[in-house]
Amino acid sequence: METPIQSLQRQRLLLQMEYYAEKETFRRQTESTGMARKVKRGDAWYPLRVGKRFYNSMNQLAIEVFRTADQDIEHNFEFGKPVMFFRMQDGAVPQGAKSATGIKYFNFTGTVSYVDGDRMVIIVPDSAPLLDLQSADVPVGVQLSFDETGYRMMFDALDRVIAAKGNRLAYLRDLFYSHQKARKFTFAPMRFPWLNPTQERAVNEVLWAKDVAIVHGPPGTGKTTTLVEAINETLMRESQVLVCAQSNMAVDWIAEKLVDRGINVLRIGNPTRVNDKMLGFTYERQFEAHADYPQLWAIRKAIRQLRSARRKGSESFHQKMERLKARATELEIRINADLFGRARVIASTLVGSNSRIMEGQKFGTLFIDEAAQALEAACWIPMKRCTRVILAGDHCQLPPTVKSVAAMRAGLGKTLMERIVENKPEVVTLLKVQYRMNDEIMRFSSDWFYDGQVESAPQIRYRGILDYDVPMQWVDVQNVNESFVGESFGRINKEEARITAQGGLSVADGCRCLTKELDMIAC
């Protein structure tokens, strides 16, 4: 029987296997995949139009770039991802090329700060040779680089949990890895007439929890509605909470719902869905809108001018520089404290919760949405800042993405949410009424994954497109075979596509295929 520390040490070893597997995969793809293929996959923009360079509100050097070709292709660039600039030696994309021959990379890496359509802002080091980039005599491009940051933070988080002694983090570690009962407050349940009974119970369980609670929300059962209500009620008792999720999109979704409730949200990191409403509650936008920011900007400008006009050996230079830096630091701390002091909810990705601007922040409650899609190590990143944790998601749906087959088989894909569900079923509340699907369609997933406990709401139980349509039709596809395509071995099924196009296969037939696959896995 493993101790909690031994289990976490094994998790760290498996995470290391995943890190090396992903890094090796990225290296092979970078060396073997032609630039044209990278562009088509959305991993590169080429050619670029390079725009202005400037210092942003966080005093970081930024450069603006625009995609000028293949603008209809969905890309994979988003906030926080590392990128590399390159230029083609011959000035053209080597169509069908199988190697990186002809590509020269600039000797610096950047980080995506903002993406909106075909415009992207990238943070670069102060030492980056931007003049070479802007005046390149051949077209330049940008491609995604291997992301070391997320792994580094997950390793640090696991090391911190393993080494924890006599503090709240050590208590949560030992609690989650044991069958010890989680503690609860005892007070009368609150009533929420606008919620259904299981949603109401879930909110009360969140309020009662001293250590941990889980909101298990199958598709269409109103998990986000329940979570927003639980956060709102928690804020009646606490001044501020931390809300995290694995992806930027999931953070944006819950943050937008909280803003709709009139809750003051401070979004750490830039949102994926870019609009004025979302940008208005980002840290950067609120930082720039602060009353003290113009003064800070003027001081930073004076610092840059002083550096450019520096006289060697001048004592007055050092004195002026130190005074300006001290004043700038004082203003930064004041603005940061004001922004965090006014916000009721701090929202970020799990990795983003380790941002330098979060330094020193502590919270009574941490909410993790879509917890079943996050690696356990990622969930430990924000837990150093909290007293108790609430997880929401559905471990019966998609698991985290793990690229190392060996690491997956050894248990890396097992999430913290799954672990707590197994060890502490009493802290789990299953939302049992779904509002999305006709009952015949929903029945399969309810019986297979949720022991038949999920029911359809009366208003959608018999909902259909036509008066006499058939919600679900089972078609025997036993002799229909899949085939593999592409370097990533994606699977396609041409015969099923043909049957579907002819109208003989409904959405629910995917369940038939899933049943067949699950039976194979069970065997």
Side-chain angles (χ1 to χ4, degrees):
M1 185 73 177
E2 284 185 329
T3 66
I5 290 178
Q6 288 172 333
S7 295
L8 285 162
Q9 287 172 335
R10 186 161 61 86
Q11 280 277 318
R12 196 186 193 288
L13 180 61
L14 297 178
L15 185 64
Q16 206 157 19
M17 291 169 60
E18 172 71 359
Y19 165 74
Y20 288 128
E22 188 170 356
K23 192 170 185 178
E24 177 61 19
T25 299
F26 182 85
R27 185 192 65 79
R28 286 202 308 267
Q29 288 179 346
T30 298
E31 291 179 355
S32 64
T33 304
M35 186 53 63
R37 180 76 181 272
K38 290 177 186 176
V39 170
K40 295 299 181 187
R41 285 170 47 173
D43 293 336
W45 284 7
Y46 179 86
L48 292 178
R49 177 169 67 84
V50 180
K52 63 182 179 180
R53 55 176 176 166
F54 58 94
Y55 281 88
N56 66 9
S57 60
M58 310 308 297
N59 204 31
Q60 298 166 314
L61 181 59
I63 188 165
E64 186 180 40
V65 299
F66 298 86
R67 179 167 59 167
T68 60
D70 299 295
Q71 293 169 315
D72 57 332
I73 295 175
E74 295 237 358
H75 62 78
N76 300 314
F77 292 90
E78 64 177 36
F79 173 81
K81 288 199 172 183
V83 295
M84 300 182 293
F85 285 95
F86 63 88
R87 62 174 172 236
M88 307 302 300
Q89 300 288 60
D90 57 2
V93 176
Q95 295 291 338
K98 292 296 183 182
S99 70
T101 305
I103 300 176
K104 182 175 181 181
Y105 291 97
F106 287 82
N107 62 348
F108 67 92
T109 59
T111 305
V112 177
S113 172
Y114 177 89
V115 187
D116 183 10
D118 298 310
R119 173 179 174 267
M120 180 159 53
V121 175
I122 298 171
I123 304 300
V124 297
D126 285 337
S127 59
L130 295 188
L131 284 177
D132 293 345
L133 190 68
Q134 291 174 304
S135 62
D137 53 354
V138 293
V140 297
V142 65
Q143 73 171 57
L144 291 171
S145 179
F146 182 69
D147 189 359
E148 302 265 357
T149 307
Y151 279 105
R152 186 169 63 250
M153 290 184 182
M154 285 192 284
F155 285 129
D156 289 345
L158 287 177
D159 290 340
R160 189 183 306 111
V161 178
I162 290 169
K165 290 181 181 179
N167 57 16
R168 185 63 182 172
L169 194 61
Y171 173 81
L172 292 177
R173 174 197 67 203
D174 296 340
L175 180 71
F176 295 165
Y177 275 83
S178 70
H179 293 283
Q180 175 187 341
K181 294 289 183 183
R183 299 175 303 163
K184 289 187 177 184
F185 294 105
T186 54
F187 53 83
M190 296 189 63
R191 294 301 311 279
F192 305 96
W194 51 93
L195 301 179
N196 68 46
T198 54
Q199 291 174 334
E200 184 179 274
R201 181 180 162 231
V203 174
N204 276 296
E205 290 290 347
V206 169
L207 299 177
W208 287 329
K210 281 187 177 181
D211 302 318
V212 63
I214 290 179
V215 179
H216 182 186
T221 55
K223 173 181 64 68
T224 301
T225 299
T226 306
L227 198 58
V228 167
E229 198 63 51
I231 292 170
N232 187 59
E233 283 301 316
T234 301
L235 289 172
M236 302 292 182
R237 296 156 176 79
E238 301 175 16
S239 61
Q240 193 176 70
V241 299
L242 176 61
V243 176
C244 295
Q246 171 69 12
S247 67
N248 276 298
M249 189 168 292
V251 177
D252 292 343
W253 179 249
I254 189 72
E256 192 167 354
K257 297 301 179 185
L258 291 167
V259 169
D260 289 342
R261 286 292 294 268
I263 297 171
N264 189 354
V265 175
L266 184 62
R267 173 73 158 90
I268 307 301
N270 281 355
T272 302
R273 294 195 299 275
V274 180
N275 55 51
D276 289 340
K277 177 182 175 182
M278 297 294 289
L279 282 175
F281 57 82
T282 60
Y283 181 89
E284 288 80 1
R285 182 64 64 90
Q286 293 191 25
F287 194 96
E288 291 174 356
H290 196 275
D292 288 336
Y293 178 71
Q295 185 181 359
L296 175 61
W297 184 87
I299 293 172
R300 287 172 173 172
K301 183 179 179 182
I303 290 173
R304 289 192 290 272
Q305 290 174 341
L306 193 61
R307 278 179 180 153
S308 62
R310 177 179 179 178
R311 295 179 184 175
K312 292 184 178 180
S314 172
E315 289 187 18
S316 61
F317 167 82
H318 294 291
Q319 292 172 352
K320 288 179 182 178
M321 183 65 74
E322 290 304 314
R323 284 199 303 269
L324 288 172
K325 283 183 177 180
R327 181 58 179 153
T329 301
E330 179 187 337
L331 285 171
E332 285 179 16
I333 293 172
R334 184 196 299 173
I335 296 173
N336 190 70
D338 192 27
L339 295 183
F340 276 94
R342 289 185 309 200
R344 302 299 309 282
V345 170
I346 309 300
S348 74
T349 60
L350 294 166
V351 171
S353 68
N354 206 41
S355 169
R356 67 174 182 84
I357 59 179
M358 293 277 284
E359 197 65 41
Q361 300 295 327
K362 298 291 183 182
F363 306 88
T365 304
L366 163 67
F367 290 87
I368 302 180
D369 195 14
E370 302 296 354
Q373 294 182 26
L375 291 175
E376 177 174 347
C379 289
W380 285 110
I381 295 173
M383 255 188 272
K384 68 178 180 179
R385 305 188 184 279
C386 73
T387 302
R388 65 179 193 136
V389 60
I390 311 300
L391 300 103
D394 184 5
H395 53 285
C396 299
Q397 292 186 58
L398 292 173
T401 301
V402 177
K403 296 185 178 180
S404 168
V405 177
M408 170 65 85
R409 288 176 177 168
L412 184 62
K414 186 171 184 177
T415 63
L416 183 64
M417 181 172 172
E418 283 182 278
R419 192 178 305 283
I420 298 172
V421 168
E422 287 181 7
N423 291 341
K424 292 173 178 43
E426 70 278 2
V427 305
V428 182
T429 305
L430 174 67
L431 304 182
K432 297 182 180 180
V433 182
Q434 70 87 21
Y435 300 88
R436 186 176 297 168
M437 295 167 277
N438 181 289
D439 192 69
E440 288 188 43
I441 298 175
M442 182 277 306
R443 184 54 46 199
F444 168 81
S445 60
S446 177
D447 291 343
W448 188 277
F449 296 110
Y450 311 109
D451 298 322
Q453 296 184 73
V454 179
E455 300 291 338
S456 301
Q459 61 266 39
I460 59 94
R461 184 168 294 166
Y462 305 109
R463 184 173 63 183
I465 299 173
L466 303 173
D467 289 340
Y468 301 104
D469 69 343
V470 178
M472 181 168 68
Q473 179 183 359
W474 297 97
V475 176
D476 187 1
V477 292
Q478 204 160 11
N479 297 319
V480 176
N481 297 314
E482 295 174 330
S483 57
F484 294 93
V485 294
E487 296 175 5
S488 60
F489 298 102
R491 294 191 291 183
I492 63 171
N493 196 316
K494 293 182 179 179
E495 184 60 19
E496 278 190 10
R498 184 187 64 78
I499 297 171
T500 304
Q502 290 176 350
L505 186 62
S506 71
V507 173
D509 289 313
C511 295
R512 168 76 182 203
C513 305
L514 177 60
T515 307
K516 186 169 64 175
E517 289 182 15
L518 289 170
D519 287 339
M520 292 171 63
I521 293 170
C523 293

